[in-house]
Amino acid sequence: MTTTPPRTGRRLPGLPGRLGRLRPVAAAAAAALTSVSLLAACSGPPKENAGGVTDVRLSPSTPEAGGEIDSFTWAVYAEPPTLDYTVAFDYPQNTVLSNVCESLMRWTPGLTTEPGLAQKASNPDPTTWVYDLRPGVRFHDGKEMTADDVVFSLGRQSDPDNAAAWAQVFQNVASITKSGPLQVTVKLNKPDSQFPQYMATAAGVVASKAAIEAAGKDYGTTGGLGCTGPFRLGTWNKGQSIELERFDGYWGKKAKSKKAVFRVLTDPSARTNALLSGEADGGYLIPTESYARLKNSGTGTLYFGEGLSTVNVNVTDMQGPLGDIRVRRALSLALDRSGFVKAGLGGAGTVTNSLTTRAAWAAAPERTLKTAFDSLPPTGQDIEKAKALVKEAGATGKTLTVATSSIGQDVSLLATAVQAAGTQIGLDIQLKTIAPNAFTALFTDPQAREGIDMFPLTYYDSITDPLDLLQNFKTGAYMNFAGYSDPEYDKLVDQASAVYPVEQRMDIEAKLQHHASEQLLWIPVAEWPTALFMNKRITGAPTTISYMYYPWAADVGAAQ
Amino acid sequence: MSFVRFALRRAAEMAATLLTASFVVFGAMYLAPGNPASFLLAGRSASPEALASINAQYHLDDPFLMRYLRWLGDILQGDFGRSITYRTDVSRLLADRLPTTLVLIGMSLVVVAAAGLLLGRIAAVRGGAADSAILVTTTFAVGTPSFVAAVLLQGLFAVNLGWFPSSGTGEGGFGDLLWHLTLPSVALALYLIGMLARVTRSAMLEALDSDHVTVARSRGVPERQVIRRHVFRNSLGTVLTTGGLIVSTLLVCTILVETAFSIGGIGQLLELSTTTKDFPTVQAISLIIVALFMTVNLIVDLLLPLVDPRVTLGSRSAAV
């Protein structure tokens, strides 16, 4: 599942689910007060050209840390509004929180799932999951973890008054009860293959009931978080930085650094400068336009890792010309994917004809992969064929509108690429530039999508399962903006949701993948890896998107 | 006009302006696309019960006027409400971030006043090569948007020379804060230094041409005294009246400069809350900005009669 909230201005490229920063031309209030001529005094920054890299190889990991360090500083592009785990559904908050709060299960740097605070998860029947808790685990407030804390923590996720971002994960949950001092039983209304996987994300976080109740309305914004992770929340200097301190009562492997300091650096060039000058030792989500600078700086190493993210063109209107599959095919055929990867993703990315990343299929056998990936529409350009398709569909000269915004190059340059493709094949493609805050509204507000046929969208999976993305085309699914509906597809989604054995499930998912890619419900463009920079002082952080839910900062220590 | 009447008039004006501004901002936020609840849910689908609960908690379903009046009533009782995005009281959010922005704007103001007045004075009094040099430099300064200035200063003094930190506000005490805010305040000030220098220069040139300067010189008053007493003082009124303009520019541009230097102040908070339609936060910050702006205007009006005897209290209408 992904979120797709707000993404913002000159930050890095497109992360669905980003509460981003917009580049204010002038904030509403100021505008109300100030004459327009004044604004010339501080007009926005000029457009930068991409400083890309070539020869991008994904690293499975980074060299292990040699020893302990006192502290390291990490750059994040935005401040988490709150660190309440129930609303932690965006890069900045998850990057910090994964080191403080732990879940029942644990996502590993290799993107597999293993036991976390539960030492065992068992499934005695299709609608029951039993979690046996690790004994002797202490919260940061010194109390020992019991089944009551688990019941309470998970209960907050489905409490309607709490507006949890993870509520959907619990949609099939009938009850969560304590079945022993260290045992919790989850009863489902129907089999749900996604629920146990989500227990490795922030959806499965366990925090101290006492701590949460004591903090009341301010839980997540002031005071501690009452969690169990290798770090505990230290000083939170609002708007500036968040300090984590090593938790000496940690049940697992002790963190290698006494402190981890997260510095909020909203401006991409400020972030890059901080990495170059050593003010920050490392960071994830490096701005694409800085890849080359950091790679060649000699101050550290730029790594790329598996991101479970794809960049797509999200089709939002099937009532218009895009309702004809021939027009969607034509656009897909005319799109210069490799040109976009070079410019829009700083050269780090691979063109794809699949909506899901290959890594999401890690557990699938070879024959399943064949079904899922063979005979998908081509990624190469074929302008002539595309032209013919448009003609055949009677769409020559028809107008299509693609939304764009100055949010990141993944958005603005993909919109331009779509326009270029359409123009070459006889379509009239209009760009509709929207302010970053309105771009965010595309995900949440049907009115904002009026008059728009498609928009660029980067999507990441929170679990290693292609269904996370593919369920979006089910009738009525939240991200199914085009209102696509196919009873056959819906049936397959329900089947896959109900099948626990991974190989069987992926067989069904392969059919879904084939159907969605064939139909071009979104037009897939590229796989987008994660980027990680660490200077010469530190090493040890994982390269993959696992950092969202895995206590990665505990692995960071002194470089040899 | 008596001081009491003046004070009453200004107080009424301020209240009316604040009220209008708050209504305009609230209305603009109301009309913009997107719903705060959806940002709160990080764009995930939510059960109807959850949505209903949020809407009830934050009164998002109430009609516009009712919501506005409710908010107004709370403000009058000193309650700025609770931020939808940050899930904490707005007053706490502001207390955490306002000081940084005020220090930044204060520093810029000092830099602007010192450099702008000095350059303008030198250009007017010395003339010749100094005047041309200052004219060229100020042309450059006025043509440099503060964002560009921020990037240039950062590149030169923080990244290449390493003299100043490139971002943030530091971990230390007040000294460290000033150290961190040096580059941002210069970036913020650059355009205004250019503007103020030019205003000062032309005001002083005008004063230099006036009859009483000629009279003073013919009486043998030393040139330095002429400049100080007659020329500079007479031009101060003109300079002061740009104060309101200077402060409003600082308030607008601080949003961009805070962003460029990653200073988590009010500017950045406003930007973020606008994005997520965090009504209570945007309203509170807007009101603070309007209030600051008006306060500066008031100070200018109170000071004018002191520096320029020809002006009486309240004869310059507030430029809002």
Side-chain angles (χ1 to χ4, degrees):
Chain A
M1 229 177 263
T2 202
T3 170
T4 17
R7 305 188 13 182
T8 48
R10 302 173 338 262
R11 34 152 221 112
L12 33 91
L15 312 169
R18 301 258 352 260
L19 255 181
R21 314 177 318 89
L22 75 153
R23 180 180 315 165
V25 178
L33 304 176
T34 319
S35 66
V36 177
S37 65
L38 255 190
L39 294 182
C42 55
S43 57
K47 287 271 173 287
E48 286 187 50
N49 282 328
V53 285
T54 48
D55 177 33
V56 171
R57 277 191 308 268
L58 301 197
S59 315
S61 62
T62 62
E64 208 174 321
E68 295 214 347
I69 41 172
D70 283 340
S71 169
F72 72 90
T73 303
W74 205 256
V76 286
Y77 70 82
E79 180 179 36
T82 164
L83 284 172
D84 180 342
Y85 62 91
T86 60
V87 280
F89 199 90
D90 201 351
Y91 294 97
Q93 37 274 58
N94 289 118
T95 305
V96 177
L97 192 75
S98 56
N99 302 296
V100 182
C101 290
E102 294 179 294
S103 308
L104 287 172
M105 305 303 284
R106 176 179 282 185
W107 217 23
T108 68
L111 301 176
T112 58
T113 304
E114 59 179 33
L117 291 175
Q119 51 186 11
K120 193 166 126 230
S122 40
N123 183 211
D125 64 71
T127 55
T128 307
W129 281 89
V130 177
Y131 292 96
D132 287 302
L133 306 178
R134 206 174 283 281
V137 173
R138 290 202 175 275
F139 290 117
H140 299 152
D141 61 4
K143 295 201 170 54
E144 211 163 300
M145 175 180 74
T146 69
D148 292 318
D149 297 300
V150 180
V151 171
F152 181 80
S153 301
L154 297 184
R156 289 184 73 232
Q157 301 273 21
S158 41
D159 173 1
D161 290 345
N162 200 33
W166 297 95
Q168 221 181 334
V169 169
F170 295 80
Q171 61 188 352
N172 298 323
V173 172
S175 67
I176 301 172
T177 48
K178 172 180 173 177
S179 44
L182 286 174
Q183 192 186 68
V184 172
T185 300
V186 179
K187 284 278 183 200
L188 300 169
N189 293 320
K190 57 182 189 192
D192 184 343
S193 63
Q194 307 297 288
F195 176 81
Q197 298 187 73
Y198 268 103
M199 288 303 99
T201 68
V205 160
V206 181
S208 153
K209 182 180 178 186
I212 295 172
E213 284 179 336
K217 273 196 349 184
D218 287 332
Y219 178 72
T221 55
T222 34
L225 298 175
C227 285
T228 60
F231 287 94
R232 67 155 154 240
L233 185 59
T235 314
W236 184 347
N237 186 353
K238 295 283 171 162
Q240 304 296 334
S241 63
I242 297 177
E243 284 185 16
L244 304 184
E245 293 156 0
R246 182 160 72 193
F247 174 48
D248 289 327
Y250 183 53
W251 61 270
K253 212 169 68 184
K254 206 171 76 158
K256 292 199 164 84
S257 178
K258 288 193 195 123
K259 247 170 61 172
V261 182
F262 290 85
R263 280 207 42 204
V264 180
L265 292 153
T266 44
D267 184 69
S269 64
R271 212 157 57 246
T272 304
N273 287 339
L275 291 169
L276 287 169
S277 69
E279 285 174 70
D281 294 307
Y284 286 112
L285 294 163
I286 306 297
T288 50
E289 60 268 25
S290 304
Y291 284 170
R293 239 177 112 193
L294 285 165
K295 191 179 173 181
N296 306 326
S297 66
T299 55
T301 314
L302 179 66
Y303 299 93
F304 293 101
E306 182 48 59
L308 295 182
S309 306
T310 48
V311 182
N312 311 283
V313 182
N314 186 318
V315 177
T316 54
D317 187 0
M318 292 265 195
Q319 308 304 314
L322 287 176
D324 189 323
I325 186 167
R326 289 168 297 190
V327 179
R328 300 202 294 277
R329 276 196 196 132
L331 261 186
S332 174
L333 275 173
L335 198 60
D336 177 8
R337 288 179 173 79
S338 55
F340 164 74
V341 167
K342 216 179 322 191
L345 303 183
T350 38
V351 301
T352 186
N353 50 5
S354 158
L355 291 165
T356 54
T357 57
R358 279 195 169 257
W361 298 84
E366 196 53 41
R367 64 183 164 75
T368 309
L369 283 175
K370 272 188 95 63
T371 319
F373 284 89
D374 281 4
S375 69
L376 294 181
T379 54
Q381 274 182 295
D382 189 339
I383 302 290
E384 287 315 308
K385 196 168 162 192
K387 261 192 195 151
L389 277 168
V390 173
K391 211 173 181 152
E392 196 184 311
T396 309
K398 287 257 171 67
T399 303
L400 287 170
T401 305
V402 58
T404 182
S405 184
S406 60
I407 285 179
Q409 294 182 322
D410 61 319
V411 171
S412 55
L413 294 178
L414 183 50
T416 319
V418 169
Q419 186 180 35
T423 310
Q424 285 180 347
I425 57 175
L427 292 167
D428 171 26
I429 305 240
Q430 299 289 330
L431 290 181
K432 185 175 176 187
T433 305
I434 335 194
N437 55 344
F439 196 82
T440 301
L442 288 176
F443 304 111
T444 55
D445 189 347
Q447 276 180 315
R449 296 193 291 266
E450 289 282 309
I452 286 170
D453 295 286
M454 53 195 156
F455 67 86
L457 168 77
T458 300
Y459 188 102
Y460 69 86
D461 294 335
S462 296
I463 54 176
T464 316
D465 189 334
L467 194 60
D468 201 44
L469 184 145
L470 293 168
Q471 51 82 28
N472 286 319
F473 307 113
K474 189 182 167 180
T475 307
Y478 180 71
M479 299 262 306
N480 187 350
F481 300 139
Y484 181 76
S485 179
D486 177 345
E488 195 57 33
Y489 194 89
D490 295 358
K491 211 163 73 195
L492 285 173
V493 171
D494 289 338
Q495 270 179 28
S497 305
V499 172
Y500 290 117
V502 69
E503 294 196 3
Q504 278 181 48
R505 183 171 71 244
M506 290 210 168
D507 271 344
I508 305 168
E509 290 174 5
K511 288 181 199 152
L512 288 169
Q513 144 100 349
H514 201 84
H515 181 98
S517 305
E518 186 78 340
Q519 290 288 318
L520 289 165
L521 302 175
W522 298 349
I523 299 169
V525 182
E527 281 199 22
W528 193 20
T530 58
L532 155 72
F533 179 82
M534 287 184 288
N535 67 17
K536 289 177 174 162
R537 214 169 69 81
I538 58 167
T539 181
T543 57
T544 63
I545 196 167
S546 61
Y547 68 81
M548 296 280 281
Y549 312 112
Y550 165 82
W552 58 271
D555 296 344
V556 175
Q560 288 295 19
Chain B
M1 162 164 4
S2 80
F3 186 79
V4 176
R5 266 190 58 198
F6 171 78
L8 284 174
R9 201 191 76 193
R10 290 306 292 265
E13 267 175 17
M14 261 178 122
T17 310
L18 284 172
L19 195 67
T20 313
S22 75
F23 187 81
V24 168
V25 173
F26 208 87
M29 294 274 295
Y30 191 84
L31 293 173
N35 167 344
S38 45
F39 294 109
L40 197 59
L41 294 162
R44 315 281 301 272
S45 61
S47 67
E49 298 81 44
L51 268 176
S53 165
I54 297 173
N55 286 335
Q57 278 179 53
Y58 294 97
H59 312 291
L60 297 176
D61 282 341
D62 293 359
F64 168 73
L65 211 55
M66 204 166 136
R67 275 173 69 186
Y68 175 72
L69 291 173
R70 179 194 306 277
W71 170 84
L72 198 62
D74 287 346
I75 289 283
L76 293 174
Q77 294 165 41
D79 174 11
F80 277 99
R82 203 169 153 80
S83 158
I84 304 176
T85 313
Y86 287 83
R87 299 195 171 198
T88 185
D89 290 341
V90 173
S91 48
R92 170 172 265 155
L93 273 182
L94 298 180
D96 283 335
R97 290 168 173 81
L98 192 58
T100 312
T101 302
L102 290 179
V103 172
L104 175 63
I105 288 179
M107 278 176 80
S108 298
L109 208 51
V110 171
V111 174
V112 169
L117 293 176
L118 186 70
L119 289 174
R121 184 173 169 160
I122 291 173
V125 176
R126 293 258 176 92
D131 189 20
S132 316
I134 286 171
L135 272 180
V136 170
T137 336
T138 52
T139 305
F140 173 75
V142 170
T144 311
S146 56
F147 190 89
V148 176
V151 173
L152 291 175
L153 290 168
Q154 229 174 13
L156 181 60
F157 292 104
V159 180
N160 288 333
L161 297 171
W163 293 353
F164 289 96
S166 69
S167 57
T169 53
E171 310 293 324
F174 194 65
D176 197 33
L177 178 68
L178 295 184
W179 177 241
H180 273 80
L181 292 183
T182 304
L183 287 185
S185 60
V186 173
L188 197 52
L190 209 58
Y191 163 86
L192 290 169
I193 292 173
M195 189 192 84
L196 186 62
R198 289 168 162 247
V199 170
T200 311
R201 175 182 173 270
S202 54
M204 284 185 70
L205 285 177
E206 203 180 324
L208 276 168
D209 271 351
S210 64
D211 292 344
H212 67 274
V213 169
T214 320
V215 171
R217 280 181 178 158
S218 65
R219 281 197 188 154
V221 178
E223 184 66 9
R224 285 179 67 171
Q225 240 181 49
V226 170
I227 298 290
R228 202 179 57 230
R229 274 217 202 137
H230 299 279
V231 179
F232 195 60
R233 199 169 157 180
N234 277 341
S235 53
L236 256 188
T238 319
V239 170
L240 256 186
T241 46
T242 60
L245 188 67
I246 287 176
V247 170
S248 55
T249 307
L250 287 175
L251 287 169
V252 175
C253 293
T254 186
I255 298 171
L256 278 163
V257 171
E258 281 184 21
T259 300
F261 285 95
S262 292
I263 296 160
I266 290 291
Q268 256 196 336
L269 186 63
L270 177 63
E271 175 206 334
L272 288 167
S273 350
T274 310
T275 317
T276 55
K277 292 196 76 172
D278 190 350
F279 281 85
T281 312
V282 173
Q283 280 291 74
I285 298 177
S286 311
L287 286 189
I288 287 177
I289 289 180
V290 178
L292 278 173
F293 178 71
M294 298 192 65
T295 309
V296 169
N297 263 304
L298 180 62
I299 294 172
V300 168
D301 281 359
L302 291 174
L303 286 179
L304 266 183
L306 301 178
V307 299
D308 192 342
R310 293 168 302 184
V311 178
T312 54
L313 195 59
S315 67
R316 185 188 77 106
S317 61
V320 174

